[in-house]
Amino acid sequence: MLVALAGATSLTVLGLLLGAGALLGLWAQARGRSGMGVHRHTVALGSGQALHVVELEGRRLVIGTGPGAAPRLLTELTTGSKDAATEAEAGR
């Protein structure tokens, strides 16, 4: 009887932990959608420099980063440039 009770307690604790983990995952996912932005793609250029495409409030932005410098907005991708970028990726 004591072993069965210990097994039931373990299952209850495991169920509570899994439920809490699932809720935490949903919360983090919802927060990510309404947070700063969504990272779409990164291209490493070498020497610690990179280009990042991020989506922020429905806008697609190209951000440049490098060592010792602040991130810099390089351009905003418009609908036309988005289609051109998609075609360029398909042509690779």
Side-chain angles (χ1 to χ4, degrees), residues 16-82:
L16 288 173
L17 287 174
L18 288 175
L23 287 175
L24 183 61
L26 288 173
W27 174 78
Q29 187 178 24
R31 185 171 183 231
R33 280 191 219 126
S34 63
M36 292 299 294
V38 178
H39 183 261
R40 293 292 179 201
H41 192 70
T42 296
V43 176
L45 301 175
S47 301
Q49 298 174 340
L51 295 174
H52 308 272
V53 177
V54 296
E55 188 170 329
L56 179 64
E57 297 180 359
R59 298 169 56 198
R60 291 170 48 104
L61 308 172
V62 179
I63 309 291
T65 59
R72 183 173 173 192
L73 173 64
L74 300 176
T75 189
E76 179 176 352
L77 299 176
T78 61
T79 304
S81 61
K82 179 180 174 183

